[in-house]
């Protein structure tokens, strides 16, 4: 790995307003919205089952099927839209490659929708808070020393959408990778699980981010729940 690329990786994870810790804060800001969508989706599916038994119309769907047969939820669209908003407002990333097609998007004023999925009114407050928090966090990145560098961000908003729709939220992960387009090297990344549960049943998150500096991968990770439902892996120490 060229020394310059190693230096770029170091800037991702260390120093004031570093990109990876800021993305972690962004995921913390988005997590309550993801949890509310998850709970609303479970409620919607239960209501649909009852309505089908009584031959009534189903509720407005929070989960759709894409043209390739894969599932898409409001959470997929909102997470990607908000992370893209963060990076574009800060001007820290030249190119963003997202899993979802967000040609149809409305998160600045109600009714809120993304890719044809309309958010129900009970989610409006969560969407507005997440959006406003993302705008606030983006101001920190405007001071980032990497703004002049040609970075590419890869976003998988919900890795495990099918499990998200099946009520297996502990298996779902937000993934962001950062690459240097000039040299063609991966620089670092973040994985974030917003739907873990603490021992008392409250929501918790597990996360890890890392970047390669020289021959030694450097990671920061945290298990906020010492016994998460699922598995969290890292090549570095876990700090409780």
């Amino acid at each position: 790995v060229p020394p310059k690329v190693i230096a770029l990786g170091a800037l991702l994870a260390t120093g004031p307003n570093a990109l990876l810790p800021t993305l972690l804060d962004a995921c913390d800001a988005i997590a309550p919205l993801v949890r509310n969508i998850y709970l609303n989706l479970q409620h919607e599916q239960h209501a649909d089952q009852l309505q089908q038994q009584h031959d009534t119309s189903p509720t407005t769907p929070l989960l759709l099927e894409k043209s390739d047969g894969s599932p898409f939820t409001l959470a997929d669209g909102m997470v990607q839209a908000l992370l893209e908003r963060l990076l574009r407002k800060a001007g820290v990333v030249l190119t963003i490659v997202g899993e979802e097609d967000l040609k149809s998007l409305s998160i600045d004023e109600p009714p809120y929708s993304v890719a044809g999925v309309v958010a129900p009114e009970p989610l409006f407050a969560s969407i507005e808070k997440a959006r406003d928090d993302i705008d606030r966090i983006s101001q920190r990145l405007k001071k980032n020393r990497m703004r002049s560098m040609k970075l590419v961000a890869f976003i998988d908003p919900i890795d495990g959408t099918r499990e998200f729709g099946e009520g297996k939220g502990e298996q779902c992960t937000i993934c962001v990778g950062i690459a240097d387009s000039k040299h063609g090297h991966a620089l670092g990344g973040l994985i974030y699980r917003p739907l873990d549960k603490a021992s008392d049943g409250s929501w918790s998150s597990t996360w890890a981010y890392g970047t390669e500096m020289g021959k030694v991968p450097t990671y920061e990770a945290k298990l906020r729940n010492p016994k998460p439902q699922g598995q969290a892996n890292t090549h570095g120490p876990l700090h409780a």
Side-chain angles (χ1 to χ4, degrees):
V1 180
K4 187 173 182 180
V5 173
I6 295 172
L8 289 176
L11 285 176
L12 278 179
T14 59
N17 311 307
L19 182 54
L20 291 176
T22 304
L23 281 168
L24 172 61
D25 289 344
C27 287
D28 281 339
I30 294 171
L33 171 60
V34 174
R35 293 162 185 161
N36 284 338
I37 294 173
Y38 181 71
L39 293 175
N40 271 264
L41 177 58
Q42 291 181 309
H43 175 75
E44 177 187 87
Q45 291 173 330
H46 178 67
D48 282 349
Q49 290 174 355
L50 294 177
Q51 289 171 340
Q52 288 171 6
Q53 293 173 6
H54 295 86
D55 296 324
T56 58
S57 301
T59 57
T60 302
L62 293 177
L63 186 150
L64 299 176
E65 187 175 280
K66 296 188 288 188
S67 58
D68 63 0
S70 61
F72 172 84
T73 71
L74 183 66
D76 291 276
M78 284 293 170
V79 170
Q80 182 171 314
L82 289 166
L83 290 177
E84 285 192 17
R85 184 183 182 97
L86 172 81
L87 297 171
R88 294 193 194 283
K89 275 184 170 288
V92 74
V93 169
L94 179 67
T95 305
I96 300 174
V97 180
E99 181 183 11
E100 308 300 343
D101 182 354
L102 301 184
K103 291 180 180 178
S104 172
L105 173 66
S106 174
I107 58 173
D108 285 311
E109 58 183 29
Y112 302 112
S113 65
V114 59
V117 182
V118 180
E121 190 170 347
L123 290 175
F124 283 9
S126 295
I127 293 170
E128 290 160 0
K129 185 175 189 313
R131 179 200 63 206
D132 293 346
D133 285 346
I134 287 296
D135 288 349
R136 174 181 51 79
I137 293 169
S138 72
Q139 297 301 311
R140 288 163 40 189
L141 284 179
K142 289 184 178 181
K143 303 174 183 178
N144 190 288
R145 290 179 290 169
M146 303 187 77
R147 291 192 70 208
S148 61
M149 301 169 189
K150 296 181 179 179
L151 301 180
V152 180
F154 298 87
I155 301 173
D156 186 345
I158 300 291
D159 182 21
T161 300
R162 193 173 303 279
E163 287 75 17
F164 188 93
E166 294 174 349
K168 302 174 183 176
E170 70 279 0
Q171 299 180 21
C172 304
T173 309
I174 299 171
C175 303
V176 183
I178 305 295
D180 169 31
S181 62
K182 183 176 180 180
H183 297 90
H185 290 285
L187 296 177
L190 163 75
I191 57 172
Y192 185 97
R193 294 192 335 192
L195 295 169
D196 280 332
K197 288 288 188 72
S199 56
D200 62 0
S202 62
W203 290 114
S204 182
S205 300
T206 56
W207 56 264
Y209 65 78
T211 181
E212 188 174 34
M213 290 183 281
K215 296 182 179 179
V216 181
T218 299
Y219 293 84
E220 288 292 335
K222 183 175 182 180
L223 280 176
R224 293 183 183 147
N225 173 10
K227 295 182 179 180
Q229 296 180 5
Q231 183 176 353
N233 296 324
T234 178
H235 292 81
L238 293 177
H239 303 287

